[in-house]
């Protein structure tokens, strides 16, 4: 048996390539996964199943109690008087309040402007004209992993840019696209820099730890910092290696096109930057855009650091919450839009103000399929939350694990595995940690583990399966980008290509956690694994 594969030696040349065992295994997963209905139909079916299940649980009087809250809540069903009233009055709010919707649309307005002005293509030419091809997967992996400082924006901005970079140096653009998304998903729970997620997790952990007789070392946003630095480096190396040795060779063996379809629709257009020569006019325009970016960054910094800044919180700081941490999307949009406008004005691509809304409208036009899907996905997520089925699942899973009476290293492994499984259903890391932390922070404290260590273990499980779950709304965005190359690609295609990343990420996380567990390494300044 053989596959008709495309090689990189000569354009149009096709050779017989034998599939590896891994190819055959992942190909089987892809075939099975692609039998999953289209995302719109899938979430309609899931919504119907959830509606029936929640109603059955409500009719039978199922309740849920988050440990430590001392409040018992009944599971609510859609097919009840209360459910019908909720759904009919909140249909629009469920759609509009769907968090990724606003983030995706707003970010892509700025990305579209930066692409159509030519700024992104010129940046790629300048930045990677002399870069070694072998280093690109590791550079993309590093940017994706540490890009969590951009919050959800990293999953929208980095993948199409990585595809552009790969294409510019003759590597497979789909490898850059999917590799960057995998890195962004794995790194969402970690970063070399301290992020807003560190502050959010620390606040949740501290609120639970305060109820303990021995709360251990106070949990702060830097309590997992050393651990995060190590995990960022390891995940970067693992992701870069997988892109180079697994993903890209598989794409070429499978004959995945390296060019977008002429009629491609959806977000993430990749411009043709195969010629890395930069015209003098573009170089001058890029210099002006760089100066504009620098001045903009200085202005934003001044606005942030001055005493009494509106970007500070009521205590005059930035952690655990502040307007600054809530302005990530704004900051990304400004740092993309201002240089794009200056670049477009300087090189003539955006000479008239009327060209700006046209460029933005083209970007939104590409978003139409995602907006339609966001409507049904928003309803499903809202029902999952409102019905309390998600909370019930998390508490039931935690109770089951606790009933097994695990006390040693195996308890940590089981806890990480449980977090990984629940992450397939509860995509909000803060929501899941609120529920699981209430159970496991006290449980592991009684076994002698610091609350910060329990938090670190949760981050491992929360990160590894981020890129596999269809409930991750950005999966739909990257699928639309992939279909520019493979019109027939489906969820099974993504799952099969992301599965090696998930497995290797999970093993890497556990290896790091094991080192910290047995060697007693500090997780952060003044924080150890054991009380």
């Amino acid at each position: 048996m053989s596959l008709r594969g495309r090689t990189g030696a000569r354009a149009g040349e096709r050779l017989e390539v034998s599939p590896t065992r891994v190819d055959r295994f992942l190909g089987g997963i892809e075939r099975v996964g692609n039998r999953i209905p289209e995302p719109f139909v899938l979430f309609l079916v899931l919504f119907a199943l959830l509606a029936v299940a929640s109603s059955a649980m409500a009719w039978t009087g199922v309740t849920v109690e988050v440990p430590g809250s001392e409040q018992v809540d009944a599971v609510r069903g859609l097919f009840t008087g209360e459910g019908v009233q909720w759904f009919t009055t909140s249909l629009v709010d469920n759609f509009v309040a769907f968090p990724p919707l606003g983030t995706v649309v707003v970010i892509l307005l700025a990305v579209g402007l930066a692409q159509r002005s030519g700024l992104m293509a010129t940046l790629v030419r300048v930045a990677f004209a002399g870069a070694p091809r072998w280093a690109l997967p590791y550079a993309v992996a590093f940017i994706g992993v540490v890009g969590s400082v951009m919050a959800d924006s990293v999953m929208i901005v980095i993948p199409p840019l990585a595809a552009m970079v790969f294409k510019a140096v003759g590597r497979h653009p789909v490898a850059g696209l999917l590799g960057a998304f995998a890195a962004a998903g794995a790194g969402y729970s970690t970063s070399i820099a301290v992020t807003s997620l560190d502050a959010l997790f620390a606040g949740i952990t501290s609120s639970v730890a305060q109820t303990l007789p021995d709360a251990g070392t106070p949990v702060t946003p830097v309590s997992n910092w050393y651990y995060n630095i190590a995990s960022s480096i390891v995940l970067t190396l693992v992701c870069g290696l997988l892109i180079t040795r697994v993903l890209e060779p598989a794409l070429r063996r499978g004959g995945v096109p390296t060019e977008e379809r002429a009629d491609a629709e959806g977000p993430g257009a990749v411009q043709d930057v195969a010629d890395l020569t930069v015209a003098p006019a573009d170089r001058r325009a890029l210099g002006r855009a760089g100066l504009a970016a620098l001045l903009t960054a200085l202005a934003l910094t001044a606005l942030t650091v001055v005493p009494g800044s509106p970007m500070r919180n009521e205590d005059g700081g930035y952690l655990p919450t502040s307007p600054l941490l809530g302005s990530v999307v704004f900051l990304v949009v400004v740092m993309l839009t201002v240089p794009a406008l200056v670049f477009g004005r300087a090189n003539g691509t955006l000479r008239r103000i009327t060209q700006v809304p046209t460029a933005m409208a083209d970007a939104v036009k590409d978003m139409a399929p995602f907006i339609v899907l966001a409507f049904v996905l928003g309803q499903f997520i809202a029902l999952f939350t409102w019905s309390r089925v998600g909370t019930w699942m998390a508490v039931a899973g935690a109770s089951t694990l606790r009933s097994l009476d695990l006390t040693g290293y195996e308890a940590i492994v089981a806890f990480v595995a449980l977090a990984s499984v629940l992450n397939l259903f509860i995509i909000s890391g803060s929501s899941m940690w609120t529920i699981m932390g209430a159970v496991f922070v006290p449980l592991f404290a009684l076994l002698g583990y610091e609350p910060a260590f329990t938090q670190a273990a949760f981050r491992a499980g929360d990160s590894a399966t981020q890129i596999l779950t269809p409930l991750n709304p950005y999966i739909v965005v990257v699928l639309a980008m992939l279909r520019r190359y493979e019109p027939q690609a489906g969820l099974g295609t993504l799952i099969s290509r992301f599965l090696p990343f998930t497995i290797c990420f999970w093993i890497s996380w556990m290896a790091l956690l094991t080192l910290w567990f047995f060697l007693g390494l500090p997780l952060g300044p003044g924080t150890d694994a054991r009380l």
Side-chain angles (χ1 to χ4, degrees):
M1 179 180 178
S2 63
L3 292 177
R4 301 289 292 179
R6 182 177 297 189
T7 72
R10 186 178 304 166
E13 182 181 2
R14 300 174 70 86
L15 298 175
E16 294 288 337
V17 180
S18 299
T20 66
R21 291 181 179 179
V22 174
D23 287 337
R24 289 193 289 269
F25 172 71
L26 296 179
I29 292 177
E30 180 176 356
R31 288 190 294 273
V32 172
N34 281 343
R35 293 180 181 176
I36 298 174
E38 279 292 298
F40 185 86
V41 178
L42 172 65
F43 286 109
L44 277 180
V45 172
L46 290 176
F47 182 87
L49 293 175
L50 179 59
V52 172
S54 63
S55 300
M57 295 171 74
W59 294 332
T60 54
V62 176
T63 60
V64 58
E65 178 183 359
V66 176
S69 67
E70 298 182 357
Q71 179 178 341
V72 179
D73 295 311
V75 172
R76 297 182 287 197
L78 183 63
F79 298 134
T80 62
E82 183 183 14
V84 171
Q85 185 182 58
W86 167 79
F87 185 63
T88 56
T89 58
S90 63
L91 182 73
V92 175
D93 291 338
N94 295 342
F95 172 53
V96 175
F98 182 51
L101 177 63
T103 299
V104 170
V105 172
V106 172
I107 291 291
L108 282 179
L109 286 175
V111 170
L113 193 62
Q115 285 181 334
R116 285 159 178 80
S117 69
L119 174 61
M120 282 193 172
T122 304
L123 275 173
V124 169
R125 290 187 177 100
V126 171
F128 295 96
R133 294 175 75 254
W134 67 266
L136 285 182
Y138 298 93
V140 165
F142 179 75
I143 294 171
V145 168
V146 304
S148 56
V149 296
M150 299 168 59
D152 290 6
S153 307
V154 65
M155 297 189 183
I156 309 166
V157 176
I158 303 302
L161 186 58
M164 188 187 303
V165 170
F166 268 55
K167 185 176 181 180
V169 298
R171 301 196 67 150
H172 206 300
V174 175
L177 177 75
L178 300 184
F181 187 83
Y188 194 77
S189 284
T190 189
S191 178
I192 288 178
V194 178
T195 69
S196 58
L197 192 64
D198 291 291
L200 182 59
F201 279 172
I204 296 170
T205 307
S206 296
S207 65
V208 176
Q210 289 173 359
T211 64
L212 300 174
D214 181 3
T217 306
V219 181
T220 70
V222 297
S223 291
N224 290 157
W225 191 29
Y226 301 158
Y227 175 73
N228 286 348
I229 291 174
S231 62
S232 296
I233 294 172
V234 170
L235 290 177
T236 293
L237 296 175
V238 170
C239 187
L241 187 64
L242 288 171
I243 294 172
T244 303
R245 298 296 180 87
V246 178
L247 178 59
E248 191 169 20
L251 293 172
R252 295 198 181 278
R253 286 193 299 269
V256 177
T258 59
E259 300 291 335
E260 292 184 1
R261 297 178 295 124
D263 61 340
E265 298 180 355
V270 178
Q271 295 163 285
D272 186 3
V273 291
D275 180 7
L276 294 179
T277 303
V278 181
D282 284 344
R283 193 174 291 277
R284 288 193 297 270
L286 186 61
R288 296 180 184 180
L291 179 60
L294 176 61
L295 294 176
T296 302
L298 291 175
L300 291 172
T301 301
L303 177 65
T304 301
V305 300
V306 295
S309 166
M311 306 301 281
R312 298 173 181 263
N313 57 28
E314 294 179 355
D315 298 327
Y318 306 105
L319 298 174
T321 60
S322 67
L324 175 64
L325 298 180
S327 303
V328 172
V329 172
F330 168 79
L331 296 175
V332 171
V333 167
V334 170
M335 292 305 298
L336 282 172
T337 301
V338 173
L341 291 174
V342 172
F343 182 91
R345 176 68 178 176
N347 78 341
T349 54
L350 294 175
R351 287 194 180 278
R352 299 187 304 275
I353 189 64
T354 54
Q355 293 175 289
V356 173
T358 301
M360 290 183 167
D362 289 341
V364 174
K365 189 187 305 181
D366 292 340
M367 282 299 302
F370 174 76
I371 293 174
V372 172
L373 180 63
F375 175 75
V376 65
L377 184 53
Q379 307 305 323
F380 174 80
I381 297 297
L383 177 58
F384 199 68
T385 303
W386 176 84
S387 66
R388 302 191 180 110
V389 170
T391 304
W392 177 84
M393 287 178 60
V395 172
S399 298
T400 300
L401 188 57
R402 183 169 53 181
S403 67
L404 297 177
D405 196 27
L406 302 176
T407 59
Y409 174 71
E410 67 277 8
I412 303 298
V413 176
F415 171 62
V416 175
L418 176 64
S420 296
V421 172
L422 290 177
N423 191 46
L424 297 173
F425 303 95
I426 306 174
I427 58 174
S428 171
S430 59
S431 297
M432 190 162 69
W433 180 230
T434 299
I435 298 168
M436 295 190 71
V439 177
F440 286 103
V441 168
L443 174 62
F444 284 132
L446 293 175
L447 298 177
Y449 303 119
E450 285 276 7
F453 178 74
T454 308
Q455 175 183 286
F458 169 78
R459 300 178 89 137
D462 178 55
S463 165
T465 53
Q466 189 78 241
I467 57 177
L468 277 190
T469 172
L471 297 186
N472 181 347
Y474 300 107
I475 285 282
V476 181
V477 178
V478 80
L479 179 59
M481 296 177 185
L482 178 60
R483 282 177 173 171
R484 289 179 169 274
Y485 303 90
E486 296 180 273
Q488 304 305 318
L491 289 174
T493 308
L494 289 179
I495 292 172
S496 68
R497 291 176 186 166
F498 286 148
L499 185 60
F501 288 89
T502 293
I503 293 173
C504 292
F505 288 160
W506 202 92
I507 293 172
S508 300
W509 275 110
M510 282 308 307
L512 284 171
L513 200 63
T514 301
L515 286 176
W516 258 264
F517 181 87
F518 287 108
L519 299 182
L521 301 174
L523 294 159
T527 306
D528 296 316
R530 289 178 171 80
L531 287 170

